[in-house]
Amino acid sequence: SRQYLVAGNWKMNGGRAANAELITGILAGVAANASVEILVCPPSVYIDAVAQQAAGKIKVGGQNLSEQEKPGAFTGEIHGTMLKEVGCQYVLVGHSERRAFYGDADDVVAGKFKAAQSLGLTPILCVGETLQEREAGQTEAVLARQLNAVLDLNGIDSFANSVVAYEPVWAIGTGKTASPQQAQDAHAFIRGQLAAKNAKISNSTRLLYGGSVKADNAVELFSCPDVDGGLIGGASLKAADFLAICAAA
Ligand code: 13P
């Protein structure tokens, strides 16, 4: 069976003092949640310090990485080897904010997934439809397109070391959560797409739900059969909220 993963995506939030306080708070509550894997993804400049403080009890990941195979003259970019060196095991790839604001098109996302894989970082591939796409009945087509771009470049075997996060864009930061049924339907579709290529890999791949997850809706979301945890934005910035979500897993 799949181990639950609860991941905090801090986005562009935090600072030295706030991060230290947050990690102290999570560490204080983490022993009670030993069966769930807990991950935080801080802004890159803080990863090193957060990873040292987390001391392996909380895992640490990047929010983005360069698709370049090798380090070099790419101003402002961060190579996966750098994320690894400062303690990351995971990295988000294709978050909707990257797709919408920074030009991370499907082919770029596929390249980033490849770059992460080649270094032994576990990519957390984010997929999800906009409200307009959902209302036009295109949810499954969008999910299939986003998944296929990565599958075509990397192959199904690469998903053995990966996590997929379903984050409907209309639910991110809006307070509108997908209903458990909407989440389960999308997750079952994603798992089916993977199963069509390799049933065993599909069965072992963790699928996270993201989008306005809070302590009071986490239990019902996490009890869906194909929801294996969550990718948490706003509610990952307060230790008590994040711990309550971890406890729901
Ligand atoms: P919120 O939990 O703030 O809606 O953000 C979700 C998200 O985008 C996590 O990656």
Side-chain angles (χ1 to χ4, degrees), residues 44-174:
S44 55
V45 293
Y46 298 122
I47 289 172
D48 197 355
V50 168
Q52 290 196 38
Q53 189 187 354
K57 292 180 188 115
I58 304 165
K59 292 183 180 160
V60 178
Q63 296 178 12
N64 183 37
L65 83 168
S66 170
E67 71 275 31
Q68 294 295 330
E69 269 178 49
K70 292 185 186 149
F74 301 98
T75 302
E77 291 293 285
I78 295 177
H79 195 262
T81 50
M82 300 166 185
L83 295 178
K84 279 195 78 168
E85 186 174 29
V86 294
C88 291
Q89 292 181 40
Y90 289 87
V91 62
L92 304 182
V93 162
H95 190 278
S96 65
E97 288 150 18
R98 300 289 324 168
R99 293 179 189 262
F101 307 142
Y102 303 102
D104 285 14
D106 288 333
D107 60 328
V108 175
V109 173
K112 291 184 173 189
F113 186 99
K114 182 174 185 172
Q117 283 275 334
S118 72
L119 299 166
L121 280 166
T122 303
I124 300 177
L125 171 64
C126 306
V127 297
E129 81 288 357
T130 63
L131 183 60
Q132 197 188 1
E133 289 163 341
R134 173 164 283 267
E135 287 177 344
Q138 294 168 348
T139 297
E140 293 189 350
V142 169
L143 297 177
R145 191 201 74 223
Q146 292 175 336
L147 281 173
N148 283 333
V150 177
L151 281 165
D152 289 350
L153 183 69
N154 295 277
I156 184 66
D157 288 352
S158 69
F159 279 70
N161 174 38
S162 79
V163 174
V164 179
Y166 170 62
E167 296 207 304
V169 178
W170 49 270
I172 295 178
T174 57

